[in-house]
């Protein structure tokens, strides 16, 4: 199968197309013919070698952790999916680094997979799993956002932020968010109540007594300043220090847990147009396509998701 791999850690230029064997599936896995994937900042962080302490892979490594496609084979113990099902998934990060989603075929455990709603294209579905599930788990399960609460979502125009704003609005919160001026109209249109231009205004100068902060930019001290003493802060971009943990507020970090059931719920909300998927740009599964996509993500100025079309 065609896949985009790296043979050493380093710059985007290291990404290139190579022929790889189709993954063998275990009894509890499905094999997906992958029609689309998407880019997340973890991809270029992994490419640079920053995940080495967690995953010590052997090269060549296939990166990527979003998939949308058609099941071609189901393991003996799989009960929920069969060949021909249209699905999407955030597969587990494997130990050997060979099973990323920049590839024409992807293996995923059954419990990480969801049926793709018919209303969604494969490209839209591929933009959801990693960023959408992260936003869902932080806003709903970690911050426990409730109707009427005031919530700050940092980097509202990012892949995670766009989902987080809409999920918090869906739960009935008042939502402030940070972005550059050129994203203001989009974020107001998606439901944000207040958009703060982070280039000109400090959040702690304009926001007070917030119930919850979703930190996606590692600005924990600033986030703590806008919270009421009983407030909650969850970061996905840093780790609270011992000093920050002494704050009266509840401060923690979070690492996404892939979950097919939650992905299915999220897909339904997108199909019902309660949550919109914003695509920044689309590239092909080619050497130049992946290199350009990584450079776009690494610029840290993508507005929405960067999608890779495979089929
Ligand atoms: N722990 C986990 O499980 C987990 C899961 C997903 C993501 N993450 C991490 O969370 C972070 C965000 O991910 P993402 O996918 O949303 O990234 P992304 O899509 O690359 O975010 C890009 C956006 O961030 C905005 N931005 C950059 N610096 C900002 C700042 N100081 N204040 C406000 N906005 C700013 C940019 O807006 P402008 O162009 O307007 O500047 C751009 O729209 C990354 O570090 C990622 O690695 C962690």
């Amino acid at each position: 199968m065609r896949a985009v791999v790296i043979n050493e850690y380093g710059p985007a230029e290291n990404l290139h197309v190579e022929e790889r064997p189709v993954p063998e599936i275990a009894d509890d896995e499905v094999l997906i013919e992958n029609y689309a994937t998407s880019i997340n900042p973890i991809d270029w962080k992994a490419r640079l070698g920053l995940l080495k302490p967690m995953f010590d892979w052997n090269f060549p490594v296939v990166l990527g952790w979003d998939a949308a496609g058609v099941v071609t084979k189901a393991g003996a113990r799989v009960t929920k999916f069969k060949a021909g099902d249209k699905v999407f998934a955030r597969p587990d990060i494997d130990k050997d680094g060979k099973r990323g989603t920049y590839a024409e075929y992807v293996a995923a455990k059954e419990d990480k997979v969801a049926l793709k709603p018919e209303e969604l294209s494969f490209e839209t579905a591929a933009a959801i799993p990693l960023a959408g599930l992260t936003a869902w788990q932080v806003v709903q399960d970690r911050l426990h956002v409730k109707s009427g609460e005031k919530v700050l979502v940092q980097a509202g125009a990012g892949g995670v932020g766009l989902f987080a704003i809409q999920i918090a609005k869906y739960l009935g919160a008042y939502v402030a968010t940070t972005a550059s001026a050129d994203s203001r109209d989009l974020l107001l249109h998606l439901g944000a109540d207040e958009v703060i231009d982070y280039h000109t205004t400090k959040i702690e100068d304009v926001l007070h007594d917030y119930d919850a902060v979703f930190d996606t930019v590692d600005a924990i001290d600033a986030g703590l300043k806008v919270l009421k003493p009983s407030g909650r802060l969850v970061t996905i971009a840093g780790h609270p220090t011992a000093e920050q943990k002494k704050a009266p507020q509840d401060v923690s970090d979070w690492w996404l847990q892939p979950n097919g059931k939650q992905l299915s719920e999220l897909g339904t909300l997108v199909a019902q147009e309660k949550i919109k998927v914003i695509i920044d740009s689309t590239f092909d599964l080619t050497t130049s396509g992946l290199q350009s996509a990584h450079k776009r993500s690494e610029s840290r100025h993508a507005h929405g998701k960067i999608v890779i079309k495979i089929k």
Side-chain angles (χ1 to χ4, degrees):
M1 68 171 181
R2 198 162 45 96
V4 170
V5 306
I6 51 169
N7 279 309
E8 58 180 322
Y9 294 121
E13 283 72 17
N14 288 4
L15 292 154
H16 62 274
V17 169
E18 218 173 83
E19 278 299 311
R20 296 286 313 154
V22 172
E24 299 280 335
I25 56 165
D27 282 357
D28 60 349
E29 292 181 327
V30 293
L31 184 66
I32 300 167
E33 185 180 6
N34 199 17
Y35 283 42
T37 180
S38 78
I39 308 290
N40 296 282
I42 190 178
D43 301 14
W44 53 261
K45 292 178 185 178
R47 191 198 75 227
L48 290 169
L50 304 179
L51 298 195
K52 216 174 156 192
M54 294 164 73
F55 304 99
D56 198 6
W57 296 314
N58 294 318
F59 294 102
V61 167
V62 184
L63 302 170
W65 291 283
D66 281 317
V70 178
V71 173
T72 57
K73 207 193 280 182
R77 286 196 286 120
V78 169
T79 58
K80 294 196 190 80
F81 303 100
K82 58 181 186 321
D85 284 346
K86 295 173 186 162
V87 296
F88 61 142
R90 182 342 196 133
D92 293 310
I93 301 180
D94 64 304
K95 280 199 291 271
D96 65 3
K98 308 287 181 228
R99 291 172 139 217
T101 59
Y102 299 172
E104 288 177 315
Y105 287 88
V106 168
K109 285 205 187 306
E110 173 178 38
D111 64 349
K112 309 296 157 40
V113 177
L115 283 175
K116 179 185 78 63
E118 273 302 322
E119 295 87 339
L120 308 190
S121 68
F122 288 104
E123 284 87 4
T124 299
I128 299 173
L130 194 153
L133 280 175
T134 302
W136 182 264
Q137 290 175 359
V138 171
V139 173
Q140 184 169 262
D141 302 339
R142 308 295 300 176
L143 288 171
H144 304 291
V145 168
K146 289 175 204 63
S147 182
E149 287 194 320
K150 290 200 288 184
V151 180
L152 167 65
V153 174
Q154 288 272 34
V160 176
L162 283 159
F163 282 110
I165 291 170
Q166 298 180 81
I167 292 166
K169 287 307 297 176
Y170 174 70
L171 296 172
Y174 177 93
V175 180
T177 191
T178 52
S180 299
D182 58 354
S183 295
R184 182 182 168 79
D185 289 348
L186 170 69
L187 299 180
L188 291 173
H189 175 71
L190 291 175
D193 296 287
E194 218 171 310
V195 181
I196 296 149
D197 180 348
Y198 71 92
H199 299 286
T200 58
T201 308
K202 288 184 176 169
I203 50 171
E204 57 268 41
D205 290 343
V206 290
L207 304 179
H208 308 284
D209 293 325
Y210 266 60
D211 298 288
V213 169
F214 185 176
D215 174 54
T216 62
V217 293
D218 196 11
I220 300 172
D221 283 330
L224 286 172
K225 287 183 188 150
V226 314
L227 282 175
K228 54 168 72 160
S230 60
R232 294 96 65 192
L233 181 148
V234 173
T235 181
I236 56 164
H239 302 289
T241 61
E243 199 56 34
Q244 287 163 338
K245 283 184 181 165
K246 283 188 203 152
Q249 295 92 347
D250 185 15
V251 187
S252 61
D253 50 21
W254 182 245
W255 183 266
L256 159 71
Q257 305 298 308
N259 182 318
K261 187 170 169 292
Q262 287 183 339
L263 185 56
S264 177
E265 291 165 5
L266 201 47
T268 301
L269 291 178
V270 176
Q272 293 169 343
E273 298 185 6
K274 292 184 173 134
I275 292 177
K276 293 195 171 63
V277 175
I278 307 298
I279 308 280
D280 172 87
S281 44
T282 304
F283 298 89
D284 292 327
L285 187 79
T286 58
T287 295
S288 66
L290 262 296
Q291 290 183 1
S292 299
H294 267 233
K295 286 176 188 168
R296 176 73 182 143
S297 178
E298 208 170 348
S299 77
R300 314 215 74 161
H301 292 298
H303 294 161
K305 293 288 302 175
I306 301 163
V307 169
I308 306 297
K309 193 170 159 50
I310 301 173
K311 184 168 172 173

